[in-house]
Amino acid sequence: MLGILRIMSGLLFLAHGTQKFLSFPDGERAGSGLAFANAGAYAGAIELITGSLIALGLFTRPAAFLASGTMAFAYFIGHASQGFWPVNNGGDAAILYCFVFLYLAVAGPGALSIDGVRKPRP
């Protein structure tokens, strides 16, 4: 289940980056990262890179740690100022990503990962 959690959360996180840089899927933020004109563009680059690494299970711990910090930063910069309750300020997904990625940074990649092939357990 750890491997499935890693793969699914990585793919979902990756989708935020592909939307900002590849305009896929289409939506409100489609193409918003191309000019690197706002903080969301830099977050999108991190989403693309760390989402890919996490989904593949490659350098999982450092990628998940960076992704976790990015989501904590995103919550406090973009959501907390809009109200105290995450369900009302739109920050619930950022908080959930933050703690799932923090868990992956501590627990490791689980099954079906490139890290597992690169460093087999003793």
Side-chain angles (χ1 to χ4, degrees):
M1 288 310 297
L2 176 59
I4 292 170
L5 176 66
R6 175 188 48 79
I7 292 166
M8 291 307 301
S9 59
L11 290 174
L12 289 169
F13 201 56
L14 173 63
H16 288 274
T18 61
Q19 185 178 56
K20 289 176 181 106
F21 285 97
L22 305 176
S23 297
F24 179 81
D26 192 28
E28 182 182 332
R29 304 242 189 268
S32 65
L34 295 173
F36 280 98
N38 56 51
Y42 295 97
I46 293 172
E47 291 162 354
L48 266 176
I49 295 166
T50 61
S52 299
L53 290 172
I54 291 167
L56 292 170
L58 178 63
F59 305 116
T60 305
R61 290 177 192 264
F65 187 75
L66 177 60
S68 176
T70 300
M71 288 296 93
F73 185 78
Y75 178 77
F76 286 109
I77 296 301
H79 298 284
S81 63
Q82 297 176 28
F84 180 76
W85 301 108
V87 70
N88 292 334
N89 69 23
D92 44 354
I95 292 171
L96 187 58
Y97 274 125
C98 177
F99 282 95
V100 166
F101 292 141
L102 186 59
Y103 173 69
L104 290 174
V106 172
L112 302 172
S113 69
I114 296 175
D115 287 339
V117 174
R118 289 180 45 231
K119 290 184 182 178
R121 287 186 163 178

